[in-house]
């Protein structure tokens, strides 16, 4: 694409040249430094481009323009061609009767409604720089995973951080919507909702779905009834997962099986198929058996955490609550078949922060929205700012800005930026791309 020069006469025929691009250009006033002259020969000034409308109706609300000595405030419509007005049937929609300007890439037809209402038409073709379009095409057609990878260094740290802060909030809002769905499915039960997202994250990425299924098969209130009996907690969690099915000569394993058989009949529990849990390519510390035993120990030592997690407001309080040490059989085993290990399989710092990032922070953000308690939204951000920056295949793509990326709030923001924008080539919705187009 280097050195590419695009003729304006062909821009309208390009599949990537669309109204979204024109809206971005208008919103950021990405025009050549020349007077803006309407088709009737009147010079205008854009005092305020307006607020982008993502629903039906004119493209921009509350815009302000100056025409001669007259200041107009109202709506603005953007089109590729003037004739799109008719194509989109705006002539039959009264919502378009009060626009103050019709901005088009190419003027190809006089519109009676515009003439009748004395709406000026501004042709954008001569106002848009070829360099702007070239930059946009480079973003859209690049084969890089990160469209702006080669240009990211040119973005100021201040501009980048400003967008990253917004992405961190957006990621929390996306997670909040999922929690809302869980909350509704459990008939507004806060304890069951928290337990569901907690156990899902105890399964981490590999076993997240199977662990969430455990929450459906084994309601948290059953576990809380046995919170003072570690053996029964272990039996319930391992038994409902189907992992206790195999015969064993080990007395501890047999006692787990006996306990679960009793509890299964008492609560009419239906175990899952153990084959849904993944063990391959996992370190012993991440085996489903170990994670379930750790969860049992957490409930045994700190059941209040499930009932009222909101009482823990700081990083250090949650970190202390999640410091889980195993005992007995699990001090030197990581499976139910006797596989041994020489090191302690505790809940390390990375695991603790994973739970804080993916369970506590989003739940507090949800809690803040649901109960109108803004302080918990602040707690959520503070928790992320106290956790370490996550290094993974997505966050590594933004290494050119690693000097200003410090916390989990930053890494969560980058994950959201990649998933929601970069991977989908939604550059027109990204402030970073807007900055590149400006330059």
């Amino acid at each position: 694409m280097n050195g590419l020069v695009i003729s304006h006469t062909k821009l309208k025929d390009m599949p990537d040249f669309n109204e979204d691009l024109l809206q971005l250009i208008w919103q950021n006033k990405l025009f050549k430094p020349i007077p803006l002259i309407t088709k009737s020969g009147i010079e205008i000034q854009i005092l305020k481009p307006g607020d982008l409308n993502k629903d039906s109706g004119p493209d921009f609300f509350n815009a302000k323009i100056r025409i001669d000595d007259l200041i107009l405030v109202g709506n603005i419509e953007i089109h590729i061609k003037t004739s799109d007005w008719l194509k989109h049937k705006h002539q039959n929609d009264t919502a378009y009767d009060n626009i103050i300007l019709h901005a088009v890439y190419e003027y190809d037809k006089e519109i009676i409604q515009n003439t009748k209402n004395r709406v000026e038409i501004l042709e954008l073709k001569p106002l848009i720089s070829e360099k702007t379009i070239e930059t946009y095409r480079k973003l859209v057609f690049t084969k890089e995973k990160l469209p702006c990878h080669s240009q990211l260094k040119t973005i100021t740290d201040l501009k980048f951080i400003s967008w990253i802060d917004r992405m961190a909030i957006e990621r929390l809002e996306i997670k909040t919507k999922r929690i809302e769905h869980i909350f509704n499915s459990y008939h507004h039960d806060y304890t069951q909702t928290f337990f569901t997202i907690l156990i899902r994250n105890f399964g981490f990425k590999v076993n997240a779905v199977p662990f969430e299924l455990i929450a459906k098969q084994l309601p948290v209130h059953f576990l809380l009834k046995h919170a003072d009996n570690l053996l029964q907690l272990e039996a319930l969690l391992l038994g409902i997962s189907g992992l206790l099915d195999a015969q064993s000569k080990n007395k501890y394993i047999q006692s787990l099986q006996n306990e679960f058989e009793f509890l299964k009949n008492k609560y009419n529990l239906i175990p899952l198929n153990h084959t849904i849990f993944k063990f391959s390519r996992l370190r012993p510390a991440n085996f489903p058996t170990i994670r379930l035993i750790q969860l049992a120990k957490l409930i045994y030592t700190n059941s209040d955490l499930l009932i009222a997690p909101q009482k823990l407001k700081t990083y250090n309080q949650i970190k202390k609550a999640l410091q889980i040490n195993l005992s007995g059989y699990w001090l030197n085993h990581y499976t139910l078949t006797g596989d041994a290990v020489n090191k302690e399989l505790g809940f390390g710092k990375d695991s603790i922060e994973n739970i804080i990032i993916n369970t506590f922070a989003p739940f507090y953000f949800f809690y803040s929205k649901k109960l109108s308690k803004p302080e918990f939204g602040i707690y959520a951000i503070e928790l992320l700012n106290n956790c370490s920056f996550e290094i993974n295949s997505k966050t590594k793509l933004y290494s050119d800005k690693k000097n200003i990326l410090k916390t989990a709030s930053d890494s969560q923001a980058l994950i959201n930026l990649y998933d929601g924008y970069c991977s989908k080539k939604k550059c027109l919705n990204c402030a970073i791309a807007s900055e590149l187009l400006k330059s």
Side-chain angles (χ1 to χ4, degrees):
M1 287 291 184
N2 291 334
L4 176 65
V5 177
I6 306 169
S7 170
H8 275 300
T9 59
K10 296 180 180 179
L11 284 177
K12 63 183 184 298
D13 299 321
M14 294 180 179
D16 58 291
F17 190 79
N18 51 44
E19 284 189 15
D20 289 339
L21 176 56
L22 284 182
Q23 289 171 357
L24 178 70
I25 290 172
W26 174 266
Q27 192 171 26
N28 293 280
K29 297 192 282 190
L30 305 180
F31 303 124
K32 295 177 182 178
I34 58 177
L36 308 181
I37 309 298
T38 67
K39 293 306 292 183
S40 64
I42 298 176
E43 182 175 351
I44 71 168
Q45 289 180 300
I46 305 171
L47 303 179
K48 180 185 174 184
D51 304 316
L52 181 62
N53 173 31
K54 296 182 179 180
D55 297 316
S56 61
D59 293 304
F60 289 91
F61 292 147
N62 304 318
K64 183 188 291 187
I65 62 174
R66 183 194 298 274
I67 298 181
D68 287 337
D69 294 326
L70 182 65
I71 294 179
L72 299 178
V73 177
N75 304 330
I76 290 174
E77 181 66 7
I78 308 284
H79 283 132
I80 299 294
K81 295 182 179 181
T82 321
S83 59
D84 288 340
W85 183 281
L86 303 176
K87 182 180 178 181
H88 299 164
K89 301 187 185 303
H90 295 334
Q91 71 275 16
N92 300 324
D93 190 341
T94 56
Y96 294 86
D97 285 347
N98 62 348
I99 67 169
I100 60 175
L101 183 71
H102 188 192
V104 301
Y105 174 73
E106 182 178 56
Y107 181 88
D108 69 331
K109 185 180 183 64
E110 184 175 308
I111 304 299
I112 295 176
Q113 190 174 7
N114 287 175
T115 305
K116 182 176 70 174
N117 295 331
R118 296 183 180 180
V119 176
E120 293 291 333
I121 298 176
L122 179 66
E123 187 176 37
L124 303 178
K125 184 197 299 188
L127 304 175
I128 301 173
S129 167
E130 293 173 351
K131 186 65 177 176
T132 298
I133 305 302
E134 180 185 344
T135 300
Y136 172 66
R137 282 178 59 82
K138 284 182 178 180
L139 292 173
V140 170
F141 292 114
T142 182
K143 293 182 179 180
E144 293 274 3
K145 285 187 176 181
L146 190 62
C148 61
H149 181 264
S150 62
Q151 300 156 289
L152 194 58
K153 290 181 179 179
T154 66
I155 301 297
T156 65
D157 290 349
L158 182 62
K159 185 58 139 181
F160 188 77
I161 285 296
S162 175
W163 184 241
I164 286 303
D165 288 344
R166 177 174 169 180
M167 289 294 97
I169 297 297
E170 186 174 291
R171 182 156 175 83
L172 283 172
E173 288 173 342
I174 291 172
K175 289 184 176 183
T176 293
K177 289 181 180 178
R178 186 177 185 281
I179 296 174
E180 179 80 32
H181 176 74
I182 296 171
F183 183 67
N184 292 333
S185 71
Y186 285 118
H187 309 291
H188 300 181
D189 186 331
Y190 283 96
T191 302
Q192 181 66 34
T193 298
F194 179 77
F195 175 65
T196 300
I197 60 174
L198 175 68
I199 194 172
R200 177 184 173 87
N201 289 317
F202 256 77
F204 292 80
K205 187 174 182 180
V206 176
N207 283 297
V209 174
F211 270 53
E212 186 171 347
L213 290 175
I214 290 176
K216 291 183 178 180
Q217 297 296 101
L218 179 63
V220 67
H221 302 289
F222 290 168
L223 288 166
L224 291 174
K225 287 181 180 180
H226 302 272
D228 60 348
N229 190 314
L230 181 59
L231 182 68
Q232 290 180 335
L233 289 173
E234 293 173 342
L236 281 168
L237 288 168
L238 290 173
I240 202 68
S241 67
L243 296 172
L244 279 177
D245 289 348
Q247 291 186 347
S248 175
K249 294 181 180 181
N250 183 284
K251 290 184 179 180
Y252 164 71
I253 305 301
Q254 290 176 348
S255 63
L256 286 175
Q257 292 171 333
N258 292 333
E259 286 289 347
F260 182 67
E261 190 63 28
F262 168 74
L263 295 170
K264 180 180 70 172
N265 294 326
K266 179 179 180 179
Y267 295 121
N268 294 317
L269 300 176
I270 301 175
L272 298 167
N273 188 323
H274 69 89
T275 59
I276 66 175
F277 295 91
K278 298 176 182 177
F279 289 80
S280 62
R281 298 182 181 179
L282 291 179
R283 294 183 295 108
N286 292 329
F287 268 37
T289 43
I290 289 295
R291 292 306 185 195
L292 289 174
I293 290 299
Q294 289 171 341
L295 181 59
K297 188 65 177 290
L298 176 64
I299 298 171
Y300 177 70
T301 58
N302 201 342
S303 60
D304 286 345
L305 182 143
L306 295 180
I307 300 170
Q310 67 275 13
K311 289 184 178 180
L312 304 177
K313 298 180 175 66
T314 69
Y315 171 87
N316 287 331
Q317 287 175 335
I318 298 173
K319 181 181 177 182
K320 183 178 180 181
L322 292 176
Q323 288 175 339
I324 305 165
N325 296 311
L326 301 184
S327 57
Y329 175 88
W330 300 104
L331 268 175
N332 54 8
H333 294 89
Y334 58 95
T335 69
L336 290 159
T337 54
D339 294 307
V341 65
N342 294 323
K343 62 179 181 178
E344 186 176 342
L345 300 176
F347 216 54
K349 180 174 180 286
D350 289 346
S351 297
I352 289 174
E353 292 199 342
N354 184 290
I355 297 296
I356 292 174
I357 293 166
N358 295 298
T359 301
F360 282 88
F363 183 79
Y364 284 1
F365 202 77
F366 160 78
Y367 193 79
S368 168
K369 300 285 185 182
K370 202 66 186 173
L371 297 179
S372 299
K373 293 188 174 184
E375 65 271 24
F376 279 91
I378 296 173
Y379 297 153
I381 298 297
E382 288 178 346
L383 287 176
L384 293 178
N385 283 329
N386 276 282
C387 291
S388 304
F389 182 84
E390 304 157 279
I391 299 176
N392 55 48
S393 60
K394 294 176 183 177
T395 60
K396 285 179 180 178
L397 294 172
Y398 304 87
S399 59
D400 284 341
K401 290 294 182 182
K402 63 182 179 181
N403 62 306
I404 56 173
L405 301 170
K406 307 294 184 182
T407 71
S409 179
D410 297 330
S411 55
Q412 286 290 294
L414 294 182
I415 293 170
N416 188 73
L417 178 58
Y418 180 78
D419 288 345
Y421 298 80
C422 303
S423 65
K424 298 177 181 178
K425 298 290 181 70
K426 287 189 175 181
C427 301
L428 293 177
N429 302 112
C430 176
I432 295 173
S434 297
E435 194 68 16
L436 292 173
L437 290 171
K438 286 180 185 179
S439 62

